[in-house]
């Protein structure tokens, strides 16, 4: 089985999704989610998404690779065509 670039990037960013949510796949499953990414993208009002995006800047410095990852996450977990669609439905971050 060949790993796609999206899958590789998703694996590379997994630690940062855990850090941003304060959770992991096991805890996410206990909350009825597939994994930590499902937990991350399910709560559009949480501060975890902006934290994840901030951590991602250092984890994946190539903008095209970040876009590939974020678009893939949006399609896989939020059922929208890409990250822009996900972000447009996400409330503005609280200050």
């Amino acid at each position: 089985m060949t790993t796609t670039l999206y899958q590789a990037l998703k694996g590379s960013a997994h630690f940062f999704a855990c850090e941003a949510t304060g959770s992991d796949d096991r805890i996410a499953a206990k909350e009825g989610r597939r994994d930590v990414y499902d937990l991350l993208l399910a709560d559009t009002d949480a501060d975890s998404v902006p934290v994840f995006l901030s951590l991602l800047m250092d984890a994946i410095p190539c903008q095209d690779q970040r876009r590939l990852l974020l678009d893939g996450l949006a399609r896989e977990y939020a059922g929208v065509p890409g990250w822009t669609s996900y972000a447009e439905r996400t409330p503005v971050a609280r200050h």
Side-chain angles (χ1 to χ4, degrees):
M1 181 172 160
T2 304
T3 301
T4 66
L5 180 55
Y6 167 67
Q7 292 166 326
L9 292 169
K10 187 176 165 186
S12 296
H14 186 266
F15 172 79
F16 300 102
C18 292
E19 287 291 307
T21 60
S23 189
D24 60 25
D25 291 336
R26 183 180 43 81
I27 294 169
K30 285 182 181 178
E31 294 185 22
R33 299 293 173 186
R34 284 184 4 204
D35 57 23
V36 72
Y37 288 112
D38 191 18
L39 182 65
L40 174 72
L41 296 180
D43 188 359
T44 58
D45 197 27
D47 291 332
S48 56
V49 172
V51 170
F52 175 70
L53 294 174
S54 176
L55 294 170
L56 202 58
M57 294 295 287
D58 291 330
I60 303 175
C62 176
Q63 181 178 355
D64 289 340
Q65 290 180 349
R66 281 194 311 270
R67 173 60 69 182
L68 177 72
L69 173 65
L70 293 173
D71 283 346
L73 291 174
R75 281 189 298 274
E76 183 176 354
Y77 293 95
V80 295
W83 189 257
T84 301
S85 298
Y86 174 80
E88 287 174 351
R89 72 177 203 165
T90 304
V92 176
R94 295 168 285 170
H95 296 281

